[in-house]
């Protein structure tokens, strides 16, 4: 079994040059919410690759309603974490320690505009009814890529949502336009030792309860 | 450049046995909504691996509110596609051609029950207010894994949502419990030549419109 470090992605085996990349299954199984980080900066190229890949989420009508605010600036991360007027609860320390904070936003309005275009209207000329708010679904898909991309490049990440009381403060601090809703944020960087979430003690739901074959 | 077929995942290079797995970036960049399939069945092991990986989505409070109904049975897929009473619009032909149809469901109630447990209640003993319906977000993350897992194993897949008028028919046909909402379905199988979605002609939103650094 060959186990090169992630940093050494190119190596030689019997004079054959090999490039080591993490396979999909390993990325999925290795990912977990990590809540402590080294403060070491992330190279620009890695951050750009993560943000580039995150744009490859699927979206209803190719509406692409998700947007990202990537915050490297430590002062901004500190303001978000420590402004007790806007964020009385305080944000977790990892927002300050991790070099990268990415706010995931989505605009419901983009989807409505898209589904009022001629190719998406119903025969009677009206917009479809939305039984599912696919804008939040799409934001989840994009966030999944953010988290997985970080792992695939040797980083760790954590997603956290915003309580209702913080939405306006986040928008104001980062200049997020009215029509975009910040659904949550991802902190990422090199992992440091952390405690696993107590929620994990609940255990994974049994396969038989979650996966049904042919019918429920 | 070594390009083994996906089927031949183990091969020898200068007497060194190598196992070929698709790397994360390739999975993300290769995935697109494919709308035509070969009818060839999917081996049980691949289907189980895809469903197993799809359970590794993150969820608020580790609620794990997403469930899957995997339909291989051709008669059920035909019923879903062709029952004009329940589904007047008719479902796409690929639901019949692709050997696997996975319905993605989510229960909002599971999240409320989780956030009424002691460790999640607010200091005043009430459940949090939800500014974002994270159950749909989580369903999007799980669906992203379904689609990527299929690609990583050499399959293609398509996600499609349900219009409001079909939700009850889907629930009835598959015996989905009241508290679960079917958000959409994934057809998957070996790809066949297809036409790309006309929506793609809209093009990807420019990076500068979607990614903002430090602030919007």
């Amino acid at each position: 079994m060959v186990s090169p470090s992630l940093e050494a992605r190119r190596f030689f085996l019997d004079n054959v040059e090999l490039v080591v990349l993490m396979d999909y299954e390993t990325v999925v199984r290795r990912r977990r919410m990590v809540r402590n980080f080294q403060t070491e900066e992330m190279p620009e190229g890695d951050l750009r690759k993560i943000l580039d890949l995150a744009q490859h989420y699927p979206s209803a009508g190719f509406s692409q309603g998700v947007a990202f605010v990537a915050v490297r600036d430590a002062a901004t991360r500190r303001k978000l974490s420590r402004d007790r007027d806007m964020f009385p609860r305080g944000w977790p320390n990892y927002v300050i320690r991790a070099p990268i904070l990415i706010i995931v936003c989505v605009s419901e309005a983009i989807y409505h505009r898209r589904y009022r275009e001629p190719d998406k209207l119903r025969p009677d000329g009206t917009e479809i009814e939305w039984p599912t708010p696919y804008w939040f679904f799409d934001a989840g898909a994009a966030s999944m890529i953010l988290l997985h991309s970080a792992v695939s490049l040797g980083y760790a990440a954590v997603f956290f949502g915003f309580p209702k009381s913080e939405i306006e403060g986040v928008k104001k601090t980062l200049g997020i336009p009215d029509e975009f809703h910040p659904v949550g944020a991802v902190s990422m960087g090199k992992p440091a030792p952390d405690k696993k979430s107590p929620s994990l003690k609940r255990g994974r739901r049994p396969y038989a309860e979650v996966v049904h074959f042919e019918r429920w």
Side-chain angles (χ1 to χ4, degrees), chain A:
Chain A
M1 172 99 187
V2 179
S3 298
S5 78
L6 274 166
E7 286 69 26
R9 291 189 196 143
R10 284 167 198 282
F11 71 108
F12 287 82
L13 184 63
D14 292 354
N15 290 322
V16 177
E17 186 183 5
L18 296 177
V19 180
V20 178
L21 298 167
M22 204 183 292
D23 72 287
Y24 182 71
E25 181 173 352
T26 301
V27 170
V28 171
R29 292 194 188 279
R30 177 168 294 192
R31 186 207 61 78
R32 65 179 186 84
M33 296 303 182
V34 169
R35 292 179 173 79
N36 190 21
F37 299 88
Q38 300 171 43
T39 56
E40 183 189 336
E41 286 188 13
M42 181 186 288
E44 177 84 14
D46 285 355
L47 176 59
R48 293 210 170 246
K49 171 161 285 187
I50 288 165
L51 290 164
D52 187 28
L53 291 177
Q55 287 178 64
H56 290 261
Y57 63 95
S59 65
F62 205 34
S63 300
Q64 306 170 69
V66 181
F68 308 94
V69 185
V71 181
R72 292 165 295 195
D73 180 54
T76 306
R77 285 186 284 114
R78 190 165 293 275
K79 185 170 165 57
L80 285 163
S81 303
R82 294 290 172 263
D83 184 326
R84 293 295 171 131
D85 289 333
M86 273 197 287
F87 310 106
R89 184 185 70 142
W91 282 23
N93 281 328
Y94 55 70
V95 173
I96 293 179
R97 287 191 60 79
I100 304 292
L101 176 73
I102 300 174
I103 314 290
V104 180
C105 308
V106 72
S107 159
E108 174 178 343
I110 285 178
Y111 291 77
H112 295 305
R113 287 200 292 273
R114 171 70 184 102
Y115 279 78
R116 284 176 204 141
E117 290 179 19
D119 63 319
K120 288 294 185 188
L121 289 175
R122 292 189 289 192
D124 68 357
T126 59
E127 185 185 344
I128 62 162
E129 289 181 88
W130 295 84
T132 305
Y134 285 109
W135 35 96
F136 294 122
F137 179 96
D138 294 354
S143 300
M144 191 75 267
I145 302 182
L146 280 181
L147 297 169
H148 280 158
S149 298
V151 171
S152 79
L153 294 172
Y155 299 99
V158 59
F159 177 90
F160 59 100
F162 302 125
K164 192 162 183 177
S165 59
E166 295 183 355
I167 300 284
E168 280 314 306
V170 170
K171 291 183 77 162
K172 192 177 159 195
T173 305
L174 298 174
I176 294 168
D178 269 353
E179 79 166 46
F180 280 85
H181 173 75
V183 298
V186 174
S187 280
M188 56 175 72
K190 292 281 178 190
D194 73 330
K195 279 194 292 194
K196 290 196 183 182
S197 162
S199 288
L200 294 180
K201 290 195 192 119
R202 303 166 57 79
R204 200 169 288 286
R205 280 186 201 277
Y207 194 84
E209 197 179 285
V210 171
V211 177
H212 307 270
F213 285 96
E214 308 316 336
R215 60 178 285 118
W216 197 294

PDB file of all heavy atoms in Angstrom, chain A residues 5 17 19-20 23-24 26 30 37 59 66 74 78 88 92 96 100 110 137 145 157 189 194-195 200-201 204 207 215:
ATOM      1  N   SER A   5       2.175  11.452   1.369  1.00  0.00           N
ATOM      2  CA  SER A   5       1.452  12.530   2.038  1.00  0.00           C
ATOM      3  C   SER A   5       0.713  13.325   0.974  1.00  0.00           C
ATOM      4  O   SER A   5       1.052  13.287  -0.206  1.00  0.00           O
ATOM      5  CB  SER A   5       2.423  13.444   2.778  1.00  0.00           C
ATOM      6  OG  SER A   5       3.047  14.294   1.842  1.00  0.00           O
ATOM      7  N   GLU A  17       6.453   7.899 -13.052  1.00  0.00           N
ATOM      8  CA  GLU A  17       5.969   9.050 -12.293  1.00  0.00           C
ATOM      9  C   GLU A  17       4.466   8.908 -12.082  1.00  0.00           C
ATOM     10  O   GLU A  17       3.724   8.660 -13.031  1.00  0.00           O
ATOM     11  CB  GLU A  17       6.245  10.366 -13.027  1.00  0.00           C
ATOM     12  CG  GLU A  17       5.871  11.557 -12.151  1.00  0.00           C
ATOM     13  CD  GLU A  17       6.043  12.906 -12.829  1.00  0.00           C
ATOM     14  OE1 GLU A  17       6.372  12.935 -14.030  1.00  0.00           O
ATOM     15  OE2 GLU A  17       5.827  13.919 -12.153  1.00  0.00           O
ATOM     16  N   VAL A  19       0.927  10.609 -10.186  1.00  0.00           N
ATOM     17  CA  VAL A  19       0.308  11.766  -9.541  1.00  0.00           C
ATOM     18  C   VAL A  19      -0.794  11.227  -8.645  1.00  0.00           C
ATOM     19  O   VAL A  19      -1.633  10.445  -9.092  1.00  0.00           O
ATOM     20  CB  VAL A  19      -0.301  12.726 -10.585  1.00  0.00           C
ATOM     21  CG1 VAL A  19      -0.940  13.926  -9.891  1.00  0.00           C
ATOM     22  CG2 VAL A  19       0.765  13.173 -11.568  1.00  0.00           C
ATOM     23  N   VAL A  20      -0.776  11.613  -7.410  1.00  0.00           N
ATOM     24  CA  VAL A  20      -1.754  11.091  -6.462  1.00  0.00           C
ATOM     25  C   VAL A  20      -2.886  12.096  -6.272  1.00  0.00           C
ATOM     26  O   VAL A  20      -2.639  13.253  -5.929  1.00  0.00           O
ATOM     27  CB  VAL A  20      -1.094  10.795  -5.101  1.00  0.00           C
ATOM     28  CG1 VAL A  20      -2.135  10.311  -4.106  1.00  0.00           C
ATOM     29  CG2 VAL A  20      -0.007   9.771  -5.276  1.00  0.00           C
ATOM     30  N   ASP A  23      -9.529   9.923  -4.446  1.00  0.00           N
ATOM     31  CA  ASP A  23     -10.678   9.429  -5.208  1.00  0.00           C
ATOM     32  C   ASP A  23     -11.976   9.844  -4.537  1.00  0.00           C
ATOM     33  O   ASP A  23     -12.002  10.221  -3.359  1.00  0.00           O
ATOM     34  CB  ASP A  23     -10.603   7.900  -5.360  1.00  0.00           C
ATOM     35  CG  ASP A  23     -10.891   7.203  -4.055  1.00  0.00           C
ATOM     36  OD1 ASP A  23     -10.021   7.255  -3.169  1.00  0.00           O
ATOM     37  OD2 ASP A  23     -11.987   6.641  -3.878  1.00  0.00           O
ATOM     38  N   TYR A  24     -13.043   9.748  -5.292  1.00  0.00           N
ATOM     39  CA  TYR A  24     -14.323  10.286  -4.833  1.00  0.00           C
ATOM     40  C   TYR A  24     -14.805   9.649  -3.531  1.00  0.00           C
ATOM     41  O   TYR A  24     -15.184  10.329  -2.586  1.00  0.00           O
ATOM     42  CB  TYR A  24     -15.390  10.131  -5.932  1.00  0.00           C
ATOM     43  CG  TYR A  24     -16.691  10.730  -5.476  1.00  0.00           C
ATOM     44  CD1 TYR A  24     -16.826  12.106  -5.368  1.00  0.00           C
ATOM     45  CD2 TYR A  24     -17.764   9.940  -5.110  1.00  0.00           C
ATOM     46  CE1 TYR A  24     -18.002  12.680  -4.908  1.00  0.00           C
ATOM     47  CE2 TYR A  24     -18.949  10.504  -4.656  1.00  0.00           C
ATOM     48  CZ  TYR A  24     -19.052  11.866  -4.558  1.00  0.00           C
ATOM     49  OH  TYR A  24     -20.202  12.428  -4.091  1.00  0.00           O
ATOM     50  N   THR A  26     -13.200   8.192  -1.157  1.00  0.00           N
ATOM     51  CA  THR A  26     -12.385   8.612  -0.006  1.00  0.00           C
ATOM     52  C   THR A  26     -12.775  10.009   0.441  1.00  0.00           C
ATOM     53  O   THR A  26     -12.874  10.287   1.643  1.00  0.00           O
ATOM     54  CB  THR A  26     -10.888   8.558  -0.367  1.00  0.00           C
ATOM     55  OG1 THR A  26     -10.564   7.226  -0.748  1.00  0.00           O
ATOM     56  CG2 THR A  26     -10.010   8.984   0.809  1.00  0.00           C
ATOM     57  N   ARG A  30     -14.160  10.567   4.099  1.00  0.00           N
ATOM     58  CA  ARG A  30     -13.252  11.285   4.994  1.00  0.00           C
ATOM     59  C   ARG A  30     -13.875  12.583   5.518  1.00  0.00           C
ATOM     60  O   ARG A  30     -13.509  13.056   6.584  1.00  0.00           O
ATOM     61  CB  ARG A  30     -11.966  11.601   4.225  1.00  0.00           C
ATOM     62  CG  ARG A  30     -10.970  12.408   5.038  1.00  0.00           C
ATOM     63  CD  ARG A  30      -9.618  12.457   4.394  1.00  0.00           C
ATOM     64  NE  ARG A  30      -9.001  11.137   4.367  1.00  0.00           N
ATOM     65  CZ  ARG A  30      -7.732  10.924   4.065  1.00  0.00           C
ATOM     66  NH1 ARG A  30      -6.942  11.945   3.751  1.00  0.00           N
ATOM     67  NH2 ARG A  30      -7.221   9.716   4.047  1.00  0.00           N
ATOM     68  N   PHE A  37      -8.787  24.523  13.510  1.00  0.00           N
ATOM     69  CA  PHE A  37      -7.943  24.662  12.324  1.00  0.00           C
ATOM     70  C   PHE A  37      -6.581  25.242  12.684  1.00  0.00           C
ATOM     71  O   PHE A  37      -6.440  25.944  13.696  1.00  0.00           O
ATOM     72  CB  PHE A  37      -8.620  25.613  11.314  1.00  0.00           C
ATOM     73  CG  PHE A  37      -9.944  25.119  10.832  1.00  0.00           C
ATOM     74  CD1 PHE A  37     -11.114  25.423  11.522  1.00  0.00           C
ATOM     75  CD2 PHE A  37     -10.029  24.316   9.702  1.00  0.00           C
ATOM     76  CE1 PHE A  37     -12.345  24.944  11.090  1.00  0.00           C
ATOM     77  CE2 PHE A  37     -11.261  23.836   9.266  1.00  0.00           C
ATOM     78  CZ  PHE A  37     -12.420  24.151   9.963  1.00  0.00           C
ATOM     79  N   SER A  59     -28.661  23.226 -11.080  1.00  0.00           N
ATOM     80  CA  SER A  59     -29.688  24.167 -10.606  1.00  0.00           C
ATOM     81  C   SER A  59     -30.896  24.125 -11.525  1.00  0.00           C
ATOM     82  O   SER A  59     -30.788  23.892 -12.717  1.00  0.00           O
ATOM     83  CB  SER A  59     -29.119  25.587 -10.513  1.00  0.00           C
ATOM     84  OG  SER A  59     -28.769  26.092 -11.776  1.00  0.00           O
ATOM     85  N   VAL A  66     -26.935  30.620  -6.745  1.00  0.00           N
ATOM     86  CA  VAL A  66     -26.039  30.621  -5.580  1.00  0.00           C
ATOM     87  C   VAL A  66     -24.853  31.555  -5.814  1.00  0.00           C
ATOM     88  O   VAL A  66     -24.319  31.620  -6.925  1.00  0.00           O
ATOM     89  CB  VAL A  66     -25.542  29.183  -5.270  1.00  0.00           C
ATOM     90  CG1 VAL A  66     -24.630  29.165  -4.047  1.00  0.00           C
ATOM     91  CG2 VAL A  66     -26.720  28.238  -5.075  1.00  0.00           C
ATOM     92  N   ALA A  74      -8.710  38.971   8.053  1.00  0.00           N
ATOM     93  CA  ALA A  74      -8.885  38.574   9.457  1.00  0.00           C
ATOM     94  C   ALA A  74      -9.756  39.570  10.215  1.00  0.00           C
ATOM     95  O   ALA A  74     -10.520  39.181  11.110  1.00  0.00           O
ATOM     96  CB  ALA A  74      -7.521  38.432  10.133  1.00  0.00           C
ATOM     97  N   ARG A  78     -13.015  38.652  12.279  1.00  0.00           N
ATOM     98  CA  ARG A  78     -13.098  38.998  13.695  1.00  0.00           C
ATOM     99  C   ARG A  78     -14.385  39.784  13.982  1.00  0.00           C
ATOM    100  O   ARG A  78     -15.067  39.551  14.977  1.00  0.00           O
ATOM    101  CB  ARG A  78     -11.858  39.807  14.106  1.00  0.00           C
ATOM    102  CG  ARG A  78     -11.708  40.032  15.602  1.00  0.00           C
ATOM    103  CD  ARG A  78     -10.293  40.509  15.950  1.00  0.00           C
ATOM    104  NE  ARG A  78      -9.310  39.467  15.686  1.00  0.00           N
ATOM    105  CZ  ARG A  78      -8.993  38.482  16.548  1.00  0.00           C
ATOM    106  NH1 ARG A  78      -9.598  38.416  17.726  1.00  0.00           N
ATOM    107  NH2 ARG A  78      -8.095  37.596  16.236  1.00  0.00           N
ATOM    108  N   PRO A  88     -25.067  38.659  19.038  1.00  0.00           N
ATOM    109  CA  PRO A  88     -24.993  38.541  20.507  1.00  0.00           C
ATOM    110  C   PRO A  88     -24.495  37.170  20.966  1.00  0.00           C
ATOM    111  O   PRO A  88     -23.836  37.056  21.995  1.00  0.00           O
ATOM    112  CB  PRO A  88     -26.444  38.759  20.952  1.00  0.00           C
ATOM    113  CG  PRO A  88     -27.227  39.166  19.762  1.00  0.00           C
ATOM    114  CD  PRO A  88     -26.411  38.964  18.536  1.00  0.00           C
ATOM    115  N   PRO A  92     -18.348  31.004  16.459  1.00  0.00           N
ATOM    116  CA  PRO A  92     -17.349  30.082  17.011  1.00  0.00           C
ATOM    117  C   PRO A  92     -15.914  30.579  16.745  1.00  0.00           C
ATOM    118  O   PRO A  92     -15.650  31.268  15.758  1.00  0.00           O
ATOM    119  CB  PRO A  92     -17.604  28.783  16.241  1.00  0.00           C
ATOM    120  CG  PRO A  92     -18.903  28.945  15.528  1.00  0.00           C
ATOM    121  CD  PRO A  92     -19.159  30.397  15.390  1.00  0.00           C
ATOM    122  N   ILE A  96     -12.309  32.564  13.378  1.00  0.00           N
ATOM    123  CA  ILE A  96     -11.099  33.390  13.468  1.00  0.00           C
ATOM    124  C   ILE A  96      -9.857  32.574  13.126  1.00  0.00           C
ATOM    125  O   ILE A  96      -8.973  33.029  12.410  1.00  0.00           O
ATOM    126  CB  ILE A  96     -10.988  34.000  14.882  1.00  0.00           C
ATOM    127  CG1 ILE A  96     -12.135  35.012  15.065  1.00  0.00           C
ATOM    128  CG2 ILE A  96      -9.641  34.675  15.089  1.00  0.00           C
ATOM    129  CD1 ILE A  96     -12.165  35.682  16.418  1.00  0.00           C
ATOM    130  N   ILE A 100      -9.928  30.785   5.930  1.00  0.00           N
ATOM    131  CA  ILE A 100     -10.943  31.069   4.909  1.00  0.00           C
ATOM    132  C   ILE A 100     -12.340  30.911   5.491  1.00  0.00           C
ATOM    133  O   ILE A 100     -12.638  29.924   6.156  1.00  0.00           O
ATOM    134  CB  ILE A 100     -10.811  30.080   3.717  1.00  0.00           C
ATOM    135  CG1 ILE A 100      -9.401  30.102   3.118  1.00  0.00           C
ATOM    136  CG2 ILE A 100     -11.875  30.373   2.640  1.00  0.00           C
ATOM    137  CD1 ILE A 100      -9.013  31.367   2.416  1.00  0.00           C
ATOM    138  N   ILE A 110     -33.976  34.993  -8.446  1.00  0.00           N
ATOM    139  CA  ILE A 110     -33.375  34.546  -9.714  1.00  0.00           C
ATOM    140  C   ILE A 110     -34.185  33.391 -10.302  1.00  0.00           C
ATOM    141  O   ILE A 110     -34.394  33.307 -11.515  1.00  0.00           O
ATOM    142  CB  ILE A 110     -31.898  34.153  -9.495  1.00  0.00           C
ATOM    143  CG1 ILE A 110     -31.042  35.419  -9.325  1.00  0.00           C
ATOM    144  CG2 ILE A 110     -31.379  33.292 -10.645  1.00  0.00           C
ATOM    145  CD1 ILE A 110     -29.556  35.153  -9.054  1.00  0.00           C
ATOM    146  N   PHE A 137     -32.283  23.861  -1.986  1.00  0.00           N
ATOM    147  CA  PHE A 137     -31.748  22.570  -2.431  1.00  0.00           C
ATOM    148  C   PHE A 137     -30.431  22.798  -3.198  1.00  0.00           C
ATOM    149  O   PHE A 137     -29.421  22.137  -2.940  1.00  0.00           O
ATOM    150  CB  PHE A 137     -32.810  21.930  -3.326  1.00  0.00           C
ATOM    151  CG  PHE A 137     -32.459  20.588  -3.915  1.00  0.00           C
ATOM    152  CD1 PHE A 137     -32.877  19.409  -3.303  1.00  0.00           C
ATOM    153  CD2 PHE A 137     -31.747  20.491  -5.101  1.00  0.00           C
ATOM    154  CE1 PHE A 137     -32.588  18.166  -3.856  1.00  0.00           C
ATOM    155  CE2 PHE A 137     -31.451  19.252  -5.658  1.00  0.00           C
ATOM    156  CZ  PHE A 137     -31.868  18.091  -5.036  1.00  0.00           C
ATOM    157  N   ILE A 145     -20.250  20.626  -2.498  1.00  0.00           N
ATOM    158  CA  ILE A 145     -19.012  20.683  -3.294  1.00  0.00           C
ATOM    159  C   ILE A 145     -17.931  21.482  -2.558  1.00  0.00           C
ATOM    160  O   ILE A 145     -16.765  21.094  -2.555  1.00  0.00           O
ATOM    161  CB  ILE A 145     -19.262  21.274  -4.700  1.00  0.00           C
ATOM    162  CG1 ILE A 145     -20.310  20.440  -5.452  1.00  0.00           C
ATOM    163  CG2 ILE A 145     -17.960  21.315  -5.498  1.00  0.00           C
ATOM    164  CD1 ILE A 145     -20.588  20.926  -6.876  1.00  0.00           C
ATOM    165  N   ALA A 157     -13.043  21.322   6.739  1.00  0.00           N
ATOM    166  CA  ALA A 157     -14.037  22.391   6.661  1.00  0.00           C
ATOM    167  C   ALA A 157     -15.198  22.113   7.598  1.00  0.00           C
ATOM    168  O   ALA A 157     -15.391  20.980   8.054  1.00  0.00           O
ATOM    169  CB  ALA A 157     -14.533  22.531   5.223  1.00  0.00           C
ATOM    170  N   GLY A 189      -9.584  25.253   6.295  1.00  0.00           N
ATOM    171  CA  GLY A 189      -8.147  25.416   6.454  1.00  0.00           C
ATOM    172  C   GLY A 189      -7.547  24.061   6.792  1.00  0.00           C
ATOM    173  O   GLY A 189      -8.230  23.041   6.744  1.00  0.00           O
ATOM    174  N   ASP A 194      -9.548  18.360  17.085  1.00  0.00           N
ATOM    175  CA  ASP A 194     -10.828  18.918  17.548  1.00  0.00           C
ATOM    176  C   ASP A 194     -11.653  17.830  18.206  1.00  0.00           C
ATOM    177  O   ASP A 194     -11.346  16.645  18.109  1.00  0.00           O
ATOM    178  CB  ASP A 194     -11.608  19.557  16.385  1.00  0.00           C
ATOM    179  CG  ASP A 194     -12.204  18.522  15.440  1.00  0.00           C
ATOM    180  OD1 ASP A 194     -11.625  17.414  15.295  1.00  0.00           O
ATOM    181  OD2 ASP A 194     -13.238  18.798  14.825  1.00  0.00           O
ATOM    182  N   LYS A 195     -12.684  18.273  18.897  1.00  0.00           N
ATOM    183  CA  LYS A 195     -13.641  17.329  19.470  1.00  0.00           C
ATOM    184  C   LYS A 195     -14.748  17.111  18.461  1.00  0.00           C
ATOM    185  O   LYS A 195     -15.241  18.070  17.865  1.00  0.00           O
ATOM    186  CB  LYS A 195     -14.256  17.908  20.756  1.00  0.00           C
ATOM    187  CG  LYS A 195     -13.363  17.748  21.968  1.00  0.00           C
ATOM    188  CD  LYS A 195     -14.131  18.007  23.251  1.00  0.00           C
ATOM    189  CE  LYS A 195     -14.502  19.481  23.336  1.00  0.00           C
ATOM    190  NZ  LYS A 195     -14.960  19.862  24.699  1.00  0.00           N
ATOM    191  N   LEU A 200     -23.005  13.594  16.908  1.00  0.00           N
ATOM    192  CA  LEU A 200     -22.634  12.343  16.237  1.00  0.00           C
ATOM    193  C   LEU A 200     -22.905  11.127  17.116  1.00  0.00           C
ATOM    194  O   LEU A 200     -23.054  10.018  16.615  1.00  0.00           O
ATOM    195  CB  LEU A 200     -21.156  12.369  15.828  1.00  0.00           C
ATOM    196  CG  LEU A 200     -20.778  13.396  14.757  1.00  0.00           C
ATOM    197  CD1 LEU A 200     -19.288  13.328  14.451  1.00  0.00           C
ATOM    198  CD2 LEU A 200     -21.583  13.181  13.473  1.00  0.00           C
ATOM    199  N   LYS A 201     -22.973  11.360  18.434  1.00  0.00           N
ATOM    200  CA  LYS A 201     -23.249  10.233  19.345  1.00  0.00           C
ATOM    201  C   LYS A 201     -24.623   9.631  19.068  1.00  0.00           C
ATOM    202  O   LYS A 201     -24.917   8.521  19.485  1.00  0.00           O
ATOM    203  CB  LYS A 201     -23.186  10.706  20.810  1.00  0.00           C
ATOM    204  CG  LYS A 201     -21.773  11.048  21.245  1.00  0.00           C
ATOM    205  CD  LYS A 201     -21.650  11.163  22.760  1.00  0.00           C
ATOM    206  CE  LYS A 201     -20.300  11.786  23.153  1.00  0.00           C
ATOM    207  NZ  LYS A 201     -20.473  13.044  23.885  1.00  0.00           N
ATOM    208  N   ARG A 204     -25.571   7.068  13.133  1.00  0.00           N
ATOM    209  CA  ARG A 204     -26.179   7.177  11.827  1.00  0.00           C
ATOM    210  C   ARG A 204     -27.502   6.408  11.827  1.00  0.00           C
ATOM    211  O   ARG A 204     -27.613   5.356  12.457  1.00  0.00           O
ATOM    212  CB  ARG A 204     -25.216   6.610  10.773  1.00  0.00           C
ATOM    213  CG  ARG A 204     -25.478   7.066   9.368  1.00  0.00           C
ATOM    214  CD  ARG A 204     -24.348   6.694   8.427  1.00  0.00           C
ATOM    215  NE  ARG A 204     -23.143   7.485   8.641  1.00  0.00           N
ATOM    216  CZ  ARG A 204     -23.000   8.756   8.286  1.00  0.00           C
ATOM    217  NH1 ARG A 204     -23.973   9.394   7.677  1.00  0.00           N
ATOM    218  NH2 ARG A 204     -21.870   9.412   8.529  1.00  0.00           N
ATOM    219  N   TYR A 207     -29.488   1.908   7.882  1.00  0.00           N
ATOM    220  CA  TYR A 207     -29.682   1.822   6.433  1.00  0.00           C
ATOM    221  C   TYR A 207     -31.128   1.459   6.094  1.00  0.00           C
ATOM    222  O   TYR A 207     -31.752   2.068   5.236  1.00  0.00           O
ATOM    223  CB  TYR A 207     -28.712   0.753   5.911  1.00  0.00           C
ATOM    224  CG  TYR A 207     -28.505   0.717   4.416  1.00  0.00           C
ATOM    225  CD1 TYR A 207     -27.582   1.559   3.799  1.00  0.00           C
ATOM    226  CD2 TYR A 207     -29.185  -0.209   3.614  1.00  0.00           C
ATOM    227  CE1 TYR A 207     -27.358   1.507   2.432  1.00  0.00           C
ATOM    228  CE2 TYR A 207     -28.966  -0.269   2.244  1.00  0.00           C
ATOM    229  CZ  TYR A 207     -28.055   0.590   1.649  1.00  0.00           C
ATOM    230  OH  TYR A 207     -27.843   0.529   0.305  1.00  0.00           O
ATOM    231  N   ARG A 215     -40.354   0.151  -3.084  1.00  0.00           N
ATOM    232  CA  ARG A 215     -41.324   1.066  -2.511  1.00  0.00           C
ATOM    233  C   ARG A 215     -41.017   1.206  -1.019  1.00  0.00           C
ATOM    234  O   ARG A 215     -40.260   0.435  -0.463  1.00  0.00           O
ATOM    235  CB  ARG A 215     -42.769   0.609  -2.757  1.00  0.00           C
ATOM    236  CG  ARG A 215     -43.116  -0.771  -2.173  1.00  0.00           C
ATOM    237  CD  ARG A 215     -44.572  -1.111  -2.429  1.00  0.00           C
ATOM    238  NE  ARG A 215     -45.422  -0.333  -1.529  1.00  0.00           N
ATOM    239  CZ  ARG A 215     -46.344   0.560  -1.927  1.00  0.00           C
ATOM    240  NH1 ARG A 215     -46.565   0.781  -3.202  1.00  0.00           N
ATOM    241  NH2 ARG A 215     -47.074   1.212  -1.037  1.00  0.00           N
TER     242      ARG A 215
END
